[in-house]
Amino acid sequence: MDIMKKRIAVLASGRGSNFQAVIDAIKDEKIPATCVALITDNPKAYAIERAKKAGIPVRIIDYATFPSRDVYERALLSARQEVDADLYVLAGYMRILGAGIVRAFPGKMMNIHPALLPSFTGLHAQRQAVQHGVKVSGCTVHFVDESLDGGPIILQHCVAVQEGDDEDSLAERILKHEHECFPEAIKLFCEDRLDIVGRTVRIR
Ligand code: GRF
């Protein structure tokens, strides 16, 4: 049944625990997909070790070695075209992608964010939530568009903020939900069950 499987590529910049959750879900046949590449901008990312262990090809496009963001993005774009995935998954990929890249893969890029969007976009979402004093936060999986963490929302999980929580304790609790929510959203994509209708995602 391999012929039915989608090709997914993961972009990650750091420890890659969400990447690992995707690797495990594919291995356990929960997601009908093959992970065809890990693309990283950081040669020291622990995600690279995870990819190697799982036998996933790694492409390092080291941001620091490029003279400008434009040149970096051109290299990233051609790597992605070569990889030719059905879905590009941003799993802790810490760079904002330019419009050119986003437009090249409409409806084919997904991100996970550790807050209930549209609240607390950008960096340190868990810290923003604690500082704001919200009682509920969580995580969001969304398609990527040209806005910052603003694309159509696929799935969200709520997580209660407890008294005494700090950024780290909340992040740890949210992360457990990320590891469920992200593979679930990818699974829905791979089963062709997601329709983007305006800024809404309908799940069939
Ligand atoms: C996660 O909290 C994710 O939501 C955010 O970056 C973090 C990446 O963690 N975008 P990991 O590298 O997947 O462990």
Side-chain angles (χ1 to χ4, degrees), residues 12-20 50 90-94 111-115 126 139-140 171 174-175 178-179:
S13 304
R15 73 187 159 184
S17 72
N18 277 290
F19 175 39
Q20 188 66 53
R50 298 183 192 270
L90 309 188
Y93 179 71
M94 300 312 280
N111 182 44
I112 179 123
H113 184 75
Q126 304 95 331
C139 58
T140 303
I174 291 175
L175 194 62
E178 294 184 39
H179 295 163

Side-chain angles (χ1 to χ4, degrees), residues 21-180:
V22 175
I23 292 172
D24 294 345
I26 290 174
K27 190 163 158 250
D28 295 347
E29 298 185 354
K30 291 181 184 150
I31 302 176
T34 306
C35 186
V36 293
L38 167 73
I39 301 175
T40 183
D41 57 321
N42 173 13
K44 294 193 178 129
Y46 185 65
I48 295 170
E49 306 310 315
R50 298 183 192 270
K52 284 185 180 159
K53 208 166 158 203
I56 296 167
V58 177
R59 282 172 179 249
I60 302 173
I61 305 174
D62 183 357
Y63 187 83
T65 64
F66 288 86
S68 69
R69 183 174 143 178
D70 256 21
V71 184
Y72 166 76
E73 289 209 344
R74 258 180 271 144
L76 180 59
L77 183 62
S78 66
R80 286 173 60 158
Q81 282 160 342
E82 279 165 34
V83 160
D84 190 27
D86 298 301
L87 177 69
Y88 298 86
V89 171
L90 309 188
Y93 179 71
M94 300 312 280
R95 302 209 168 268
I96 295 172
L97 295 170
I101 289 216
V102 174
R103 284 197 207 120
F105 305 96
K108 291 174 106 189
M109 235 194 294
M110 236 182 231
N111 182 44
I112 179 123
H113 184 75
L116 291 178
L117 292 170
S119 293
F120 311 130
T121 56
L123 291 175
H124 304 296
Q126 304 95 331
R127 185 190 303 171
Q128 294 181 55
V130 170
Q131 286 177 348
H132 198 96
V134 294
K135 303 298 184 197
V136 177
S137 191
C139 58
T140 303
V141 185
H142 63 93
F143 282 112
V144 176
D145 66 10
E146 289 169 43
S147 62
L148 175 65
D149 298 325
I153 291 172
I154 302 163
L155 289 178
Q156 295 185 300
H157 277 199
C158 294
V159 175
V161 181
Q162 293 168 4
E163 226 174 286
D165 258 340
D166 60 14
E167 179 180 5
D168 291 344
S169 61
L170 181 60
E172 194 183 324
R173 209 154 349 99
I174 291 175
L175 194 62
K176 293 199 178 98
H177 287 262
E178 294 184 39
H179 295 163
E180 290 172 16

